[in-house]
Amino acid sequence: MATNGVSETQVKPEVDTGAGDAPERTPDHAKLLENGLNVKIANKLDDIFKTGKLTFEDLDGRAFEALKEFPTDGALAVLAQFVDSNLDHVSNKSAYLCGMMKTYRQKQKSSTTSATPNIPKGPDEEKIKAILERTGYSLDVTTGQRKYGGPPPDWEGAEPGPGCEVFCGKIPKEVFEDELILLFEKSGKIYDLRLMMDPMTGTNRGYAFITYTTKEEAEQAHKDLDNYEIKPGRKLKVNISVPNLLGLSNAIIYSSPDDKRKNRGFCFLEYESHKAASVAKKKLGSRPIRVWNCDIIVDWADPQEEPDSETMAKVKVLYVRNLKSDFNEEKIKELFEPFGPILRIKKLKDYAFVHFEEREHAVNAMNELNGKEVNGVPIEISLAKPPSDKKKKEEMLRAREKRMMVMLQQRGQ
């Protein structure tokens, strides 16, 4: 029966006891060994090839690399679960196998490997087969999603736009698309239905997205099925999906030069219009927000006064960004001094200002060194903007501090 999780049942690998007892191998067995696989894993895969559920051509480079890095016992357990799974609707078997290996690792890390979870029986395959034969739709199964349709077999033109999709929440864990399709197609023609799956348990995640061919059909589904009792005492929550981008056009996040996996604690969000930015700020600032267990504060970015071209034509100072903490002023001097005499260098956190005596030397250094890797990190160099009027800058900082204090008081912090 189909499952999206991986059983932890220990598998006894096949052992060749002698020439007479050794099973006959397919021509692909040698190819598996040539790809660097452990002989026990190669034997198990070759046995699966014989079933017709998987072919050598189904496996890509990612699958081979994952199998080579995987513990032998774990790989054998995953392959045993893989061959027992219903793969009729799995279009990318290599990716599906990689997903099962990932799930196996996650279970080990969460210390759940000692007990085999109660895997649900899955959808009724006879019902699924009847639905697919009647509609001509496809069903694509991965470890994280079961997707029906998209597009329908007779579809022409672009896919449905905003307002055609509904979000269905509070789905019982034991419910699959064989029930959901029959329910939601009563309200209109389904373009696609995506049921989100939890590979750790083999159950659904409690929600799905259903796209209709028109907005009217989506609205009808909301009217028909919101608070619909799909099981005794279990009611669905069905709403029209609303894009949550709010006119967001760009997000700028600066990473730490010492650890690219970490950001610097702030980001800038650019919106298509001031109105869109105002709406986003109002929604995000109206209540306390925690992201990865951290309180965040949302405020307007300070406007930057761009100097005119005449002013910038006189700049002899370089702004150097993305410097590691151990790259001090002395090392910066060694890097830039070959281009000309330097008046002074000021290093602050992960950036620095390099003051040249001559503008020509500064420009030459920028052109030559911008993008150069320093301690494994590409540095970014530009002409430094002259400092704005000191009084204006102080007023701007005081206003920002006042806004922050008001926000913190409102949140009781």
Side-chain angles (χ1 to χ4, degrees):
M1 191 58 65
T3 60
N4 288 314
V6 178
S7 171
E8 304 304 325
T9 304
Q10 292 299 315
V11 177
K12 293 182 179 179
E14 177 187 75
V15 179
D16 294 345
T17 58
D21 298 323
E24 183 179 351
R25 292 299 172 195
T26 71
D28 291 324
H29 185 262
K31 298 179 184 178
L32 295 172
L33 297 176
E34 289 172 4
N35 276 275
L37 294 186
N38 175 285
V39 64
K40 294 180 180 178
I41 297 174
N43 290 349
K44 185 63 180 177
L45 275 172
D46 197 52
D47 290 340
I48 297 175
F49 292 163
K50 294 175 184 178
T51 68
K53 283 197 166 188
L54 184 72
T55 67
F56 179 84
E57 288 71 25
D58 288 330
L59 299 174
D60 57 21
R62 181 187 169 203
F64 283 121
E65 289 302 315
L67 286 167
K68 284 192 289 186
E69 297 174 0
F70 222 71
T72 301
D73 289 344
L76 294 173
V78 171
L79 291 173
Q81 185 65 44
F82 178 84
V83 75
D84 287 340
S85 300
N86 186 331
L87 305 173
D88 291 345
H89 307 297
V90 177
S91 60
N92 190 333
K93 295 179 181 179
S94 188
Y96 192 83
L97 177 60
C98 289
M100 294 181 74
M101 286 190 279
K102 181 179 178 181
T103 301
Y104 183 92
R105 286 190 184 277
Q106 289 173 336
K107 287 184 177 180
Q108 287 187 318
K109 289 180 181 179
S110 60
S111 300
T112 60
T113 55
S114 58
T116 303
N118 293 321
I119 303 298
K121 66 176 184 177
D124 187 317
E125 289 298 329
E126 289 301 318
K127 287 185 179 179
I128 291 291
K129 183 179 178 181
I131 291 172
L132 297 180
E133 289 178 350
R134 171 173 58 85
T135 63
Y137 282 47
S138 61
L139 177 62
D140 189 14
V141 177
T142 67
T143 55
Q145 177 181 271
R146 298 178 66 91
K147 182 181 179 183
Y148 166 77
D154 58 350
W155 184 261
E156 294 182 0
E159 63 183 56
C164 296
E165 181 185 80
V166 297
F167 168 82
C168 178
K170 297 187 177 181
I171 301 174
K173 297 293 185 181
E174 68 275 13
V175 170
F176 287 85
E177 70 276 3
D178 56 332
E179 294 184 60
L180 295 175
I181 293 169
L182 297 176
L183 181 63
F184 278 88
E185 67 180 1
K186 294 177 181 177
S187 300
K189 184 172 182 177
I190 296 175
Y191 178 85
D192 68 30
L193 182 150
R194 290 166 287 132
L195 179 62
M196 302 299 125
M197 302 299 297
D198 183 355
M200 293 283 283
T201 63
T203 62
N204 72 64
R205 291 185 178 273
Y207 65 95
F209 297 94
I210 301 91
T211 304
Y212 286 94
T213 58
T214 66
K215 293 182 180 180
E216 292 74 19
E217 291 169 327
E219 291 170 358
Q220 189 63 46
H222 167 64
K223 294 177 182 177
D224 294 341
L225 300 174
D226 190 31
N227 289 321
Y228 176 84
E229 190 173 34
I230 190 169
K231 298 286 183 184
R234 308 293 298 276
K235 294 183 178 180
L236 300 176
K237 186 64 180 175
V238 178
N239 292 321
I240 303 293
S241 296
V242 179
N244 202 27
L245 296 178
L246 299 173
L248 182 66
S249 60
N250 195 18
I252 304 169
I253 303 175
Y254 295 103
S255 59
S256 168
D258 293 303
D259 189 346
K260 286 299 180 182
R261 296 170 299 178
K262 298 180 180 179
N263 62 64
R264 292 169 60 189
F266 62 89
C267 71
F268 295 97
L269 303 178
E270 295 180 355
Y271 287 84
E272 295 174 353
S273 65
H274 184 271
K275 181 179 179 181
S278 298
V279 172
K281 180 179 180 296
K282 183 177 180 180
K283 288 190 175 183
L284 294 171
S286 61
R287 63 189 187 281
I289 298 176
R290 291 181 66 82
V291 178
W292 292 294
N293 295 321
C294 294
D295 292 315
I296 65 169
I297 294 177
V298 180
D299 198 9
W300 293 107
D302 295 325
Q304 293 183 336
E305 293 184 7
E306 295 294 331
D308 56 45
S309 57
E310 184 179 348
T311 301
M312 289 301 295
K314 300 176 183 178
V315 172
K316 299 183 287 186
V317 183
L318 295 181
Y319 171 56
V320 186
R321 191 170 73 83
N322 222 23
L323 296 170
K324 285 194 171 183
S325 56
D326 61 350
F327 201 74
N328 55 31
E329 293 179 357
E330 188 62 35
K331 292 181 180 179
I332 295 173
K333 184 178 180 181
E334 292 177 5
L335 180 64
F336 284 89
E337 200 167 38
F339 295 91
I342 295 174
L343 295 175
R344 66 182 182 276
I345 297 172
K346 182 65 175 177
K347 169 86 184 293
L348 300 163
K349 295 184 179 179
D350 62 350
Y351 63 93
F353 294 97
V354 181
H355 297 250
F356 280 87
E357 286 186 3
E358 301 293 336
R359 173 181 168 81
E360 181 183 0
H361 299 156
V363 172
N364 289 340
M366 177 181 67
N367 292 337
E368 185 69 25
L369 298 177
N370 185 36
K372 178 182 176 64
E373 282 200 4
V374 176
N375 286 3
V377 178
I379 60 175
E380 298 176 14
I381 305 174
S382 60
L383 291 170
K385 296 176 182 178
S388 59
D389 180 82
K390 186 175 180 181
K391 184 177 180 181
K392 287 184 178 179
K393 188 173 183 179
E394 288 178 351
E395 289 176 352
M396 182 176 64
L397 292 174
R398 282 199 297 270
R400 180 170 62 180
E401 183 180 3
K402 184 178 179 180
R403 292 198 305 270
M404 290 294 184
M405 290 300 296
V406 170
M407 293 176 68
L408 291 173
Q409 288 172 0
Q410 290 174 343
R411 296 184 182 184
Q413 298 182 11

